[in-house]
Amino acid sequence: MTTTKTIRPLVRPRLYLGGELSLGPGKIDLLRKIGECGSISAAARELGVPYKRAWLLIDTLNKGFPSPVLDTAAGGRSGGGARLTPRGAALVAAYDALESRLNEAARKELRVLTQLAKP
Amino acid sequence: MTTTKTIRPLVRPRLYLGGELSLGPGKIDLLRKIGECGSISAAARELGVPYKRAWLLIDTLNKGFPSPVLDTAAGGRSGGGARLTPRGAALVAAYDALESRLNEAARKELRVLTQLAKP
DNA sequence: ACTCGCTATGTCCTTAATGACATAGCGTAA
DNA sequence: TTACGCTATGTCATTAAGGACATAGCGAGT
């Protein structure tokens, strides 16, 4: 195995934010991709998931949070699209901060665990 | 069912330790319980999971790690039992250390996220 | 008016995950 | 030598999750 430049985090937390609402790497990656692509369907294509599934994930977020994470529009020349709301963007940012914080903080403990796995 | 005084951490990481081997809260809790109870079946009963399932989880750990996480014995007055091997105990300890480290380190970021969920 | 690409939603089928139940084997103590 | 409580393993049914398709509606541009 070769070394990689960007270190893939070993810890990608799934958070339980009360009730039915959970937030893990899948939804975050999707959300981020939608932000980049400007539409749910384009993001779904790039991530290789069916549109329906992507939409469903977003729907749980929109319903779970007090206000939607996406602004969507149907119709128009390009068919419409989707953009992150301030809350959606804040979510991605907060998750990213959390993730890097966790991986930084847990370096030592992770080393112990990976050592236990392959000595 | 017993009540627990300790606060349930918001972050309970699932770790991917290479290949098929993953380690999350379920297996750790089971392992810990087995250590307390001295048998797989007693732990399974207390956790409310079928023995088969508990055994299966342990089996993946025993196969995934270079040496087993449990010492088991069938037969005898009490029917036998199971005890954590040094590796098993180290696993639980390392996971606990990781978990508390993560929750401590990420307090601020977690607050941001929970705020986003319920304002 | 028609087209296009998107959002939004319903239905169905297949497959993976899980639980329930059954059973064999073991060894110590009575 | 019998009984007991555990480990270990197989089989089967049920359920939950995921994917594949189908379809309606929208609206700016041509």
Side-chain angles (χ1 to χ4, degrees), chain A residues 39-41 51-52 55 72 75 78-79:
Chain A
S39 85
I40 300 176
S41 62
Y51 171 85
K52 173 80 180 265
W55 182 86
T72 62
S78 63

Side-chain angles (χ1 to χ4, degrees), chain B residues 48-103:
Chain B
V49 304
Y51 171 85
K52 174 79 178 264
R53 170 159 172 73
W55 183 86
L56 214 60
L57 291 173
I58 295 299
D59 191 49
T60 67
L61 290 180
N62 281 337
K63 285 176 179 162
F65 284 91
S67 72
V69 296
L70 284 188
D71 261 340
T72 62
R77 192 255 169 139
S78 63
R83 301 177 50 192
L84 296 184
T85 61
R87 167 169 265 118
L91 217 54
V92 174
Y95 185 92
D96 285 351
L98 175 66
E99 182 178 280
S100 64
R101 189 98 176 72
L102 293 186
N103 279 279

Side-chain angles (χ1 to χ4, degrees), chain B residues 89-119:
Chain B
L91 217 54
V92 174
Y95 185 92
D96 285 351
L98 175 66
E99 182 178 280
S100 64
R101 189 98 176 72
L102 293 186
N103 279 279
E104 174 199 1
R107 228 177 294 187
K108 183 181 167 191
E109 283 79 7
L110 281 175
R111 198 161 49 230
V112 173
L113 275 159
T114 51
Q115 272 309 95
L116 282 169
K118 354 175 171 168

